[in-house]
Amino acid sequence: MENIKGKLLEFIKTEHNLSIDFVERAKKFQGDIYLYGAGNHLPFAVSFMQKYGVPVRGFLDSRRPSDFYKSPGKDSYDGDIPIINLDDFLSSKEGAKDCWFVISAPSAEKAIRETLAGHFPQDRIFSFETMLYVVYFSLQDVEPYRTYLVEHWDEFSRLYDTLADDQSRSTLISVLKGRLSGDLAHFRKCCVPDQYYPPDLIHFSKGELMVELGAYDGQTLLEFISRCPDCRGAYCFEPDVKLLPGLERIKEQQAEQGKQVYVIPKGAWDCETVLDLSSEGTEEGRTHVLSDDAKEHGYAIETSTVDKEVKEPISFMKMDIEGAELRALHGAEKQIRTNRPKLAVCVYHKNEDILEIWNYLRELVPEYRFYLRHHTTAGAETVLYALI
């Protein structure tokens, strides 16, 4: 327990947040600010700048606007931020001005930084976490998160001591540092591939049955089948009607191979009900549970439980359902107690997810061993694995 306190507690009490530090500096900056790098994180960088009132002059990239959009004449992102080719920028008067550059593609940070550093001083190039501070509501203000960590320090210490290997313990330290500081270097330090299927943890045998909560486009389902070709099949919960046709096609294809895939067009929860959900401020296709009676900006979905929908024993369950994981685990209590399946549970959506999900699972199955892995170079995709 003292080990993690010595490594981390002082950091939590004193460390600045790079993202907020940039905002404070940007308020005093007289030049133009540009984003550089397309990809999944660009909308978060834009939203972060808008949230904190930091004006963005343009969006730089090595490509040209015509490479982004097929529509003739379209040359801006989201109808507002102009897309500017880097070569054109460098040859223009704008390129000679005093400008700052924010890297908006964390996975390509090294290459982008090298490209920009060939033309501009390093102290004009910035990179920091944005997604956590605009998407997941509990992280919109860093100071309450700092307070939360200090107040729950004994529980985090127990979690640290309970984790089953050194990699999990170092991952916990890096993730907490990254979430608090906004420094992407902490996430890069612990990032590993093979989300949901790390080969050092997840091993399959003949006849496995998966339950997937948040099947999305079916890619993780197909990966399960490729890693366990002699599996029995899978149950897939997915409430997004836009994604269901693709899952149904996979179901039909797998039926031809003798595998049963069941598509459940509902959200996973701890009871049968109707929820209003909203996809505002998230990646396309993602949703956040608001409340049972939320009426604004949402649409209704039916929910059910794993225990109701799945009557045969399951051996592996994966879940990434945008903060509803704990409620869904309550709805799978019988399956977990009885069959003790391998679990891969996302724990990055809320401040309290890591502790509450770990506490709940160890009460259900004291024999579980817990591992933590992080699977991106930014703040998302931290997964808790529970294994026998």
Side-chain angles (χ1 to χ4, degrees):
M1 185 177 296
E2 290 304 318
N3 190 26
I4 188 176
K5 285 186 177 181
K7 290 181 178 179
L8 191 55
L9 186 55
E10 190 62 27
F11 179 97
I12 288 174
K13 290 180 177 179
T14 61
E15 185 69 8
H16 288 273
N17 182 273
L18 291 183
S19 310
I20 304 304
D21 285 351
F22 172 83
V23 170
E24 296 303 317
R25 292 183 61 188
K27 291 177 180 178
K28 303 174 184 177
F29 181 58
Q30 299 300 312
D32 293 326
I33 296 174
Y34 292 85
L35 302 179
Y36 193 114
N40 291 337
H41 277 75
L42 178 59
F44 306 131
V46 173
S47 296
F48 180 88
M49 299 299 175
Q50 292 173 340
K51 172 186 173 182
Y52 288 102
V54 178
V56 174
R57 175 67 180 84
F59 167 53
L60 298 179
D61 201 271
S62 58
R63 295 170 289 176
R64 298 184 181 276
S66 57
D67 296 324
F68 290 90
Y69 303 108
K70 295 180 180 179
S71 304
K74 187 172 177 61
D75 60 357
S76 64
Y77 172 81
D78 202 23
D80 187 29
I81 302 175
I83 299 171
I84 306 168
N85 172 260
L86 179 62
D87 291 335
D88 294 343
F89 176 78
L90 293 173
S91 62
S92 70
K93 291 186 296 183
E94 294 292 317
K97 290 182 178 180
D98 185 14
C99 305
W100 282 1
F101 306 92
V102 176
I103 297 174
S104 52
S107 61
E109 178 181 348
K110 182 179 179 181
I112 293 173
R113 187 176 289 278
E114 289 176 353
T115 297
L116 290 173
H119 307 280
F120 305 99
Q122 285 280 4
D123 61 5
R124 292 164 64 179
I125 304 169
F126 299 85
S127 179
F128 47 82
E129 175 62 43
T130 58
M131 185 193 68
L132 290 177
Y133 309 128
V134 295
V135 177
Y136 302 115
F137 300 109
S138 57
L139 280 176
Q140 282 192 351
D141 192 338
V142 174
E143 289 311 309
Y145 183 55
R146 189 191 308 274
T147 299
Y148 171 81
L149 292 176
V150 173
E151 289 179 347
H152 292 80
W153 192 242
D154 287 343
E155 292 174 82
F156 277 106
S157 296
R158 285 192 290 272
L159 168 61
Y160 178 89
D161 292 338
T162 303
L163 291 170
D165 66 354
D166 289 339
Q167 185 173 349
S168 296
R169 290 185 283 272
S170 64
T171 297
L172 176 63
I173 291 174
S174 293
V175 165
L176 293 181
K177 283 184 174 181
R179 289 168 72 89
L180 178 66
S181 70
D183 187 345
L184 296 171
H186 297 299
F187 299 120
R188 289 196 298 270
K189 180 180 179 181
C190 64
C191 176
V192 295
D194 298 306
Q195 184 169 353
Y196 309 122
Y197 307 103
D200 59 328
L201 299 181
I202 299 297
H203 308 108
F204 293 121
S205 305
K206 183 177 181 179
E208 299 263 358
L209 181 69
M210 177 175 79
V211 168
E212 183 171 28
L213 309 186
Y216 196 54
D217 60 3
Q219 293 308 302
T220 51
L221 165 64
L222 292 174
E223 185 171 359
F224 165 72
I225 293 172
S226 71
R227 290 171 180 265
C228 187
D230 52 4
C231 65
R232 280 183 286 153
Y235 288 79
C236 301
F237 285 70
E238 179 51 63
D240 192 329
V241 294
K242 299 187 297 296
L243 299 170
L244 294 178
L247 291 173
E248 289 292 343
R249 285 192 293 272
I250 294 174
K251 172 183 174 180
E252 294 171 4
Q253 294 164 1
Q254 293 304 316
E256 296 174 359
Q257 306 299 318
K259 294 182 176 61
Q260 291 291 327
V261 173
Y262 302 92
V263 178
I264 302 167
K266 299 178 181 180
W269 200 237
D270 58 3
C271 63
E272 291 181 277
T273 187
V274 175
L275 294 175
D276 289 301
L277 291 90
S278 168
S279 57
E280 287 190 2
T282 66
E283 290 182 61
E284 182 179 356
R286 290 190 170 190
T287 52
H288 280 277
V289 174
L290 298 180
S291 68
D292 294 295
D293 60 353
K295 300 300 180 185
E296 297 183 55
H297 310 300
Y299 59 92
I301 65 163
E302 292 184 59
T303 68
S304 189
T305 71
V306 171
D307 286 338
K308 180 181 186 301
E309 301 291 341
V310 185
K311 299 304 182 184
E312 53 186 318
I314 65 177
S315 59
F316 175 58
M317 184 158 61
K318 163 259 169 183
M319 58 177 69
D320 183 358
I321 46 179
E322 304 307 306
E325 285 82 4
L326 184 60
R327 298 289 290 262
L329 286 167
H330 279 277
E333 178 180 344
K334 292 180 181 178
Q335 278 279 4
I336 295 171
R337 282 190 186 277
T338 303
N339 300 305
R340 305 189 300 179
K342 297 179 283 287
L343 300 176
V345 185
C346 286
V347 290
Y348 63 92
H349 299 107
K350 299 177 181 178
N351 291 343
E352 62 271 18
D353 274 347
I354 294 179
L355 288 181
E356 290 190 352
I357 289 172
W358 163 70
N359 269 319
Y360 179 66
L361 290 175
R362 69 190 185 122
E363 290 174 3
L364 282 187
V365 181
E367 295 83 6
Y368 269 143
R369 290 171 61 83
F370 295 96
Y371 301 82
L372 195 69
R373 297 291 187 267
H374 186 80
H375 298 287
T376 67
T377 55
E381 314 307 339
T382 306
V383 181
L384 182 70
Y385 296 88
L387 310 172
I388 295 296

